[in-house]
Amino acid sequence: MTRVESAKQRWGPRIERLGRGWDRFTQHLMGPAGLLILTVFTLWALFPDLFAPHSIDWEAFRGEPPFQRRLTAQEIEQLPHPPAFGDPFFAPLGTNAQAHGIASLLVYSAQTALYIGLAAGILSSLVGVPLGLISGYYGDTWIDETIQRIADIMLGLPFLPLVIVLVAMRGITTTNIILAIVVKSWINNCITIRGEALSLKELAYVDSAKVAGASDTRIVFRHILPHVLPLSFVFLAQDAAFAILTQASLAFLGLADFTTASWGLMLQNIQSHGYVFQAWWWLLPPGICITLVAAAFYFIGFSMEDVANPQN
Amino acid sequence: MTRISAKYLAQRLIISYLTILVIMTLLFVLLHSMPGSFIQTMQSPDMTGEQIERLKEQWGLNEPLWKQYVDFMVNYQTGEFGWSPHWNVPVWNLIERRLPRTVILFGATTITGFMIGPLVGMYLGWWRGTKRDRSIFTGGLIAYSLPSFWIAWLFIWLFSFELDLLPAKYMRTQFPQEVYGTGFEWTAMMAMRDVLWHLALPLLSLTAIGWVGSMLIMRTVMQNVTEQDYVFLARAKGLSERKVMIKHAARNALIPVATGAIVGIAFILDGAVVIENVFNYPGMGNLILDSVLNNDHPTTQAVFFMLAVLLVICRIIQDIAYTYLDPRIKFGEEES
């Protein structure tokens, strides 16, 4: 048998399985729609200078830095400026009260949102999935009992107040916001993965692996983990969406990292400057972006669920 | 009808009590691991070292850590929450007035959310795979992704600024004498109507995102339930579709909704914290933010504790509701 053939034999079924999964994923428009939205935001995050009309330091009337002059009183009175196309400057979504272009801020903020979402999602999976697997595999022993008691107590804690206290305590930085979110969001993963592991470990193939002399670690991570991976991706996507929304809420409450541009911070700014009901071009776009990126993660998560549970 | 035994209830209460103890310990550790102490916010630059020492002595910060811990545990369990350095009143005075307000908002939303969510979820699960199911489900997910404060702003803009229908701020009419003429006195009916009137917009914005959680669970379970034999049997008996859906399918699908309810309830409580700040609603969410931003540790601690206790109480109610819903479960009774 040639090498090509053996590789074909080895990879053929896997590719076929991936194809079937993709078919189920694309059965409804939701999954592809989520992917499309996410792709756009990822492109924004990776190449902001290609999509943004100006650099992030651009200011209305004065253009790109270095600035030659100060804003005149007359110009300041015109801020926040509604969308303008060429006269007196080009800003497709208008400007905010500090003369920054809304469209540019939107594009440059995509990085923060995706970073917070993915980091929180991946971190809570890294904590929740192994703990859930261990808890489920050693079901009904003291290990399981301990992990489940901790999860149980954490589940009863009010999430947002906890995050508020943690962030206010440790300092308002993006990293601290992510960590504070992860403190709570691993629990859902852990509980669901535990349930899956509990039923998986009763299956015959686990017994045969045991008879073959596999260690507990090997059984858990080689034989059980692959079966719960699709499910853990579902939770990763949901945690990511939830983290982005939490960051927006924190920003609204005044607990945003003021050094990085983010959609939540834009909304906090409109409130602190008091233009919530006067400047629709400033109010609507950041909210729509937050909704879209969170919805994209939820869409992908729920379409993944169809892939993970093919019986429906 | 009662399936709940005294033994089960006692068991739940003990577990809840232990949970509260653990939460208190966690809270103590959390606030004592904070860099610096809240005394720093009270001292002015021209204070002598002696004065600072006296301040520390007054707030009990010179005691050994274990004694502080014991004091804290004993005080909290006897309803002694300490003194707020920022508002300069006992913390309990603040909480006593604000807790009922939050319970009104949070309780009302929980009720509306858990009425709408499972109902919509029931129909969606029943119509699974249809176009209607897909579009309402997608709409629900989008609602779930809305930042709560942003949608509240949009509602305020629409109902309060454009249509001028509903008030956008506070919990009651401020200065009613100016609105209704001098010599105005609150009557109980008037006050209730006024509170409900002001509750409308916060309730609407909170329900707009709060109903989705229970809908998602209900829909998934309902999809599985409709494949079950007993649903087939109920149809074969000649019952109407409606009766099969509500009496046979939905009743069973409600059980997982009840077990998972605490997640949705906690989500609504989080929303309430944000929404209170949008509407200047003088509740616990407003208080915790003010005290956090003003470094008022005793108040932060107490508010956090009360919110946690609120969730623990919801948990007990959830467990009781669960035993009523599931006829197969008999907790705490002798097995025969």
Side-chain angles (χ1 to χ4, degrees):
Chain A
M1 204 194 293
T2 62
R3 248 174 129 156
V4 179
E5 266 173 38
S6 82
K8 221 184 223 169
Q9 229 168 25
R10 199 175 147 81
W11 288 100
R14 296 185 187 190
I15 292 171
E16 204 175 295
R17 209 159 55 215
L18 268 182
R20 273 207 304 276
W22 177 251
D23 283 347
R24 272 199 297 274
F25 186 77
T26 51
Q27 214 165 30
H28 301 288
L29 263 176
M30 231 165 64
L35 271 186
L36 183 74
I37 298 170
L38 217 54
T39 314
V40 171
F41 281 129
T42 312
L43 286 176
W44 280 16
L46 291 177
F47 313 106
D49 35 347
L50 282 184
F51 293 91
H54 311 288
S55 82
I56 191 139
D57 296 315
W58 178 87
E59 284 191 14
F61 301 111
R62 297 200 290 178
E64 299 285 347
F67 302 123
Q68 307 298 330
R69 59 184 183 89
R70 285 163 175 276
L71 287 177
T72 62
Q74 215 178 9
E75 283 166 349
I76 289 175
E77 236 165 58
Q78 291 181 36
L79 297 175
H81 200 286
F85 301 92
D87 174 45
F89 48 79
F90 178 77
L93 283 173
T95 75
N96 64 12
Q98 296 125 315
H100 294 297
I102 298 288
S104 315
L105 280 179
L106 270 191
V107 174
Y108 277 91
S109 300
Q111 279 171 357
T112 321
L114 286 185
Y115 171 57
I116 287 177
L118 288 177
I122 290 171
L123 272 181
S124 46
S125 294
L126 283 181
V127 179
V129 172
L131 277 182
L133 282 176
I134 292 166
S135 181
Y137 187 72
Y138 297 106
D140 288 331
T141 62
W142 64 271
I143 303 173
D144 176 39
E145 197 59 25
T146 317
I147 296 176
Q148 288 313 306
R149 281 303 132 250
I150 295 173
D152 222 35
I153 288 169
M154 299 286 290
L155 204 62
L157 287 179
F159 175 64
L160 199 62
L162 181 72
V163 175
I164 292 173
V165 172
L166 281 177
V167 169
M169 250 174 58
R170 317 275 0 157
I172 307 166
T173 65
T174 308
T175 319
N176 283 344
I177 290 172
I178 292 170
L179 289 179
I181 291 170
V182 171
V183 164
K184 185 78 193 284
S185 62
W186 61 274
I187 300 166
N188 270 334
N189 307 5
C190 179
I191 291 174
T192 318
I193 298 286
R194 171 184 177 263
E196 280 292 298
L198 264 182
S199 58
L200 280 172
K201 75 161 184 178
E202 302 296 333
L203 296 182
Y205 79 96
V206 174
D207 282 338
S208 57
K210 231 181 247 169
V211 170
S215 66
D216 282 358
T217 327
R218 191 182 161 82
I219 292 176
V220 170
F221 290 102
R222 267 314 294 230
H223 297 282
I224 298 184
L225 179 66
H227 290 266
V228 299
L229 265 188
L231 196 65
S232 67
F233 276 118
V234 175
F235 279 101
L236 197 157
Q238 291 184 8
D239 287 339
F242 197 68
I244 291 169
L245 290 170
T246 308
Q247 191 267 343
S249 296
L250 281 177
F252 163 74
L253 295 174
L255 297 167
D257 188 345
F258 289 94
T259 53
T260 38
S262 69
W263 295 322
L265 186 61
M266 291 171 78
L267 290 173
Q268 144 76 16
N269 276 338
I270 189 172
Q271 192 211 17
S272 60
H273 286 94
Y275 287 104
V276 175
F277 304 113
Q278 275 107 55
W280 58 266
W281 60 89
W282 186 2
L283 173 69
L284 294 181
I288 292 171
C289 281
I290 295 171
T291 309
L292 277 179
V293 73
F297 275 119
Y298 279 132
F299 286 172
I300 291 172
F302 280 92
S303 303
M304 282 290 293
E305 212 164 17
D306 286 348
V307 181
N309 295 323
Q311 68 266 31
N312 302 334
Chain B
M1 183 64 194
T2 45
R3 286 189 208 93
I4 196 134
S5 65
K7 196 175 159 197
Y8 172 65
L9 204 63
Q11 208 179 12
R12 284 308 318 170
L13 286 177
I14 291 169
I15 289 178
S16 308
Y17 178 63
L18 290 179
T19 312
I20 290 176
L21 287 189
V22 174
I23 290 173
M24 280 162 61
T25 309
L26 226 122
L27 202 57
F28 182 81
V29 173
L30 209 71
L31 280 145
H32 278 259
S33 64
M34 242 162 138
S37 78
F38 71 97
I39 289 292
Q40 280 163 353
T41 62
M42 284 190 272
Q43 63 198 37
S44 51
D46 53 325
M47 266 177 159
T48 60
E50 200 183 324
Q51 280 172 313
I52 292 173
E53 267 317 293
R54 199 177 322 134
L55 210 56
K56 274 192 180 167
E57 193 68 45
Q58 250 174 19
W59 288 90
L61 292 175
N62 284 342
E63 308 274 354
L65 204 60
W66 66 267
K67 188 148 190 308
Q68 284 188 41
Y69 176 66
V70 172
D71 280 349
F72 171 73
M73 296 295 267
V74 171
N75 284 343
Y76 261 48
Q77 285 177 61
T78 50
E80 181 61 60
F81 292 102
W83 188 275
S84 155
H86 179 65
W87 281 276
N88 221 3
V89 291
V91 172
W92 178 246
N93 286 11
L94 294 168
I95 289 180
E96 176 185 52
R97 298 175 57 195
R98 293 188 179 231
L99 188 61
R101 300 170 183 164
T102 295
V103 170
I104 290 174
L105 175 62
F106 161 71
T109 316
T110 308
I111 292 168
T112 50
F114 275 88
M115 265 160 56
I116 299 171
L119 202 67
V120 175
M122 178 179 83
Y123 279 104
L124 294 190
W126 197 248
W127 300 330
R128 72 200 176 287
T130 61
K131 213 166 191 172
R132 212 162 9 165
D133 166 33
R134 276 284 145 182
S135 51
I136 298 177
F137 178 60
T138 313
L141 280 185
I142 291 174
Y144 208 43
S145 327
L146 289 168
S148 49
F149 60 95
W150 186 70
I151 192 70
W153 279 341
L154 294 191
F155 279 139
I156 292 175
W157 173 76
L158 177 66
F159 289 106
S160 200
F161 280 21
E162 291 295 314
L163 301 176
D164 202 14
L165 277 176
L166 295 167
K169 263 194 169 134
Y170 309 119
M171 192 187 175
R172 280 183 306 168
T173 306
Q174 308 288 306
F175 312 115
Q177 283 80 3
E178 282 175 19
V179 183
Y180 302 111
T182 46
F184 173 80
E185 291 280 336
W186 283 113
T187 59
M189 256 335 261
M190 282 287 280
M192 224 154 79
R193 248 199 8 229
D194 199 50
V195 167
L196 281 180
W197 185 237
H198 282 75
L199 194 65
L201 265 187
L203 183 65
L204 179 66
S205 5
L206 208 45
T207 310
I209 53 170
W211 64 278
V212 186
S214 49
M215 182 275 274
L216 293 177
I217 306 176
M218 185 77 182
R219 176 177 173 270
T220 315
V221 185
M222 199 69 184
Q223 283 176 341
N224 295 336
V225 163
T226 46
E227 321 258 302
Q228 299 286 328
D229 288 342
Y230 59 80
V231 172
F232 184 72
L233 178 73
R235 276 212 184 106
K237 276 197 297 191
L239 294 180
S240 68
E241 278 291 285
R242 206 183 145 73
K243 216 166 190 172
V244 176
M245 174 172 77
I246 294 172
K247 281 223 151 146
H248 292 263
R251 164 110 204 220
N252 284 289
L254 269 177
I255 298 163
V257 176
T259 41
I262 193 71
V263 178
I265 292 174
F267 181 75
I268 291 174
L269 187 63
D270 291 347
V273 169
V274 176
I275 290 290
E276 276 180 11
N277 284 294
V278 177
F279 289 93
N280 276 339
Y281 190 90
M284 300 286 269
N286 208 311
L287 184 63
I288 197 173
L289 189 69
D290 282 349
S291 54
V292 160
L293 294 181
N294 289 308
N295 275 316
D296 185 342
H297 292 194
T299 314
T300 312
Q301 227 168 3
V303 174
F304 187 84
F305 173 73
M306 290 314 290
L307 291 177
V309 170
L310 197 63
L311 279 187
V312 169
I313 293 171
C314 288
R315 195 81 175 268
I316 297 175
I317 296 173
Q318 174 203 314
D319 283 332
I320 293 172
Y322 174 52
T323 53
Y324 275 95
L325 278 171
D326 193 345
R328 289 167 304 189
I329 290 180
K330 291 189 174 84
F331 285 105
E333 283 175 22
E334 296 304 316
E335 277 178 33
S336 51

